[in-house]
Amino acid sequence: GLARITVPAELQAYLAGNEAERFYVAPFVNYQSPDGLWRKYRFIFVEGVPFPYHLAIHSDWAIWYYNARMQDDPAKLAEEARFLSDFSTVFPPRAQRALAMIASRVGLSYFGLDCALLPDGRVLMFEVETGMIGPNRDPAEIYPYKGPAVSRIFRAVEAMIDRRIASSRHDSTELGKTHNAVSCA
């Protein structure tokens, strides 16, 4: 039901074709890139560190990875590969600071972010989601760069889990020592 309403007649048509009782309304922010295309970036954050997961480039503002048809355009694939290889080549320092601030404010060990990069370097957030997963379902013959990017995310998640397990074991051992010391007193 996502729609961009620009004139009253569009609103009337939208409401006539939609039976919902409530709607989420937000102002439209023009995030179109200087080349006339629209870009949606996805990051997976692990312990505050942003890992690029994908880039969707489309001629329409209502963009999802599946409707961008990235596989049909070698230039789009090359741009996505550069982004996944090193997002700092795409996101200037101002945007990187914004990502760090988002991570700090969200405060979760794991979450996903869909966003756009505005021409002045600001980050436009579309969605923060705790259930964004990063599978590698895309065919390697079309997207050879995705496997390494997804592997980096998986390794970061595994390292986070390993640290938590080790910390939990350490805490349990320390708790047992404290408990024994107290009970001997």
Side-chain angles (χ1 to χ4, degrees), residues 143-177:
Y143 305 94
Y145 52 85
K146 281 207 160 181
V150 171
S151 291
R152 285 189 291 275
I153 297 168
F154 283 6
R155 285 192 307 272
V157 170
E158 289 170 351
M160 174 184 68
I161 292 168
D162 289 346
R163 281 190 297 277
R164 297 226 173 149
I165 289 170
S167 175
S168 174
R169 287 181 182 152
H170 175 76
D171 292 346
S172 295
T173 302
E174 291 301 312
L175 181 61
K177 289 178 183 177

Side-chain angles (χ1 to χ4, degrees), residues 44-51 103-104 107-111 155-164:
I44 303 295
F45 285 74
V46 182
E47 294 187 311
V49 177
F51 292 89
S104 174
L108 297 173
S109 299
Y110 179 95
F111 68 92
R155 285 192 307 272
V157 170
E158 289 170 351
M160 174 184 68
I161 292 168
D162 289 346
R163 281 190 297 277
R164 297 226 173 149

Side-chain angles (χ1 to χ4, degrees), residues 119-151:
D120 65 1
R122 290 179 298 149
V123 173
L124 174 63
M125 292 177 32
F126 297 136
E127 176 182 15
V128 171
E129 173 65 55
T130 60
M132 277 187 195
I133 57 173
N136 188 14
R137 295 186 209 142
D138 299 310
E141 61 275 5
I142 298 172
Y143 305 94
Y145 52 85
K146 281 207 160 181
V150 171
S151 291

